[in-house]
């Protein structure tokens, strides 16, 4: 068999499972990579970005492995809304509500998404007005 495991591309379901097994955020969610959660509920976790782009840089991550916004189904409406509300609550806890913050979502590799597991970035805590360069 040349080039592929079974002589053809893996079935969609197989690819999905392989992705989940290799996914760094799934490993964090399962506790396989020790990470302090700032927030956690049945559907969502939040933790600090390992390589922060702002004084406050927190990732809000649905527990379900969904690769990117492009493949989110209409059924996930409440999950998306919930993630934004979690961002708002964490911002309050971090005391960046007044100074302002960004909630960003990189949608696909072409837009700079590195980890193929849907996540929102909460960025803030700049000391001066206009301190944000991103
Ligand atoms: P993306 O570019 O995919 O939107 O953002 C992925 C983010 O995940 C990056 O900002 C990166 O620093 C962060 N990240 C990647 N691996 C880890 C990790 O193992 N732990 C934490 N806390 N953050 C990570
Ligand atoms: Zn994942």
């Amino acid at each position: 068999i040349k080039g592929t495991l079974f002589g053809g591309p893996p079935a969609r379901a197989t690819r999905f499972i392989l992705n989940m097994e290799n996914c760094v955020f799934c490993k964090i969610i399962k506790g396989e990579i020790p990470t302090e959660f700032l927030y956690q509920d049945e559907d969502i976790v939040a933790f600090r970005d390992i390589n922060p782009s702002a004084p406050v840089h927190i990732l809000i991550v649905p527990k379900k492995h969904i690769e990117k916004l492009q493949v989110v189904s209409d059924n996930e409406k409440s999950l998306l809304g919930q993630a934004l509300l979690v961002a708002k609550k964490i911002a309050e806890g971090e005391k960046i509500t007044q100074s302002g913050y960004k909630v960003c979502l990189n949608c696909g590799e072409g837009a700079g998404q590195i980890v193929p597991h849907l996540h929102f970035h909460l960025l803030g805590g700049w000391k001066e007005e206009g301190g944000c360069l991103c």
Side-chain angles (χ1 to χ4, degrees), residues 1 13-15 17 21 23 29 34 38 43 54 58 61 66 69 78 88 95 121:
I1 301 164
T14 314
R15 275 207 311 268
I17 290 163
E21 279 175 359
C23 172
I29 290 159
L38 302 178
D43 306 307
I58 292 160
V61 186
I66 302 171
L69 188 65
S78 74
K88 177 194 164 201
K95 304 199 181 345
H121 296 254

Side-chain angles (χ1 to χ4, degrees), residues 2-21:
K2 218 173 157 192
T4 55
L5 207 51
F6 303 111
R12 206 179 157 74
T14 314
R15 275 207 311 268
F16 179 72
I17 290 163
L18 288 174
N19 285 345
M20 274 180 75
E21 279 175 359

Side-chain angles (χ1 to χ4, degrees), residues 36-111:
E36 188 191 338
F37 292 141
L38 302 178
Y39 176 90
Q40 149 156 241
D41 67 23
E42 216 180 294
D43 306 307
I44 289 175
V45 296
F47 48 87
R48 291 191 196 279
D49 195 292
I50 204 168
N51 183 24
S53 303
V56 174
H57 186 171
I58 292 160
L59 302 171
I60 292 122
V61 186
K63 286 184 177 173
K64 187 173 176 181
H65 181 91
I66 302 171
E67 189 187 332
K68 54 188 172 184
L69 188 65
Q70 283 91 324
V71 298
V72 169
S73 79
D74 287 355
N75 298 334
E76 309 296 357
K77 222 185 260 183
S78 74
L79 182 65
L80 294 177
Q82 204 184 329
L84 285 177
L85 291 172
V86 168
K88 177 194 164 201
K89 281 184 197 130
I90 293 175
E92 286 165 5
E94 295 289 313
K95 304 199 181 345
I96 57 171
T97 297
Q98 203 59 37
S99 57
Y101 55 84
K102 287 174 190 274
V103 179
C104 302
L105 173 57
N106 295 326
C107 304
E109 262 180 277

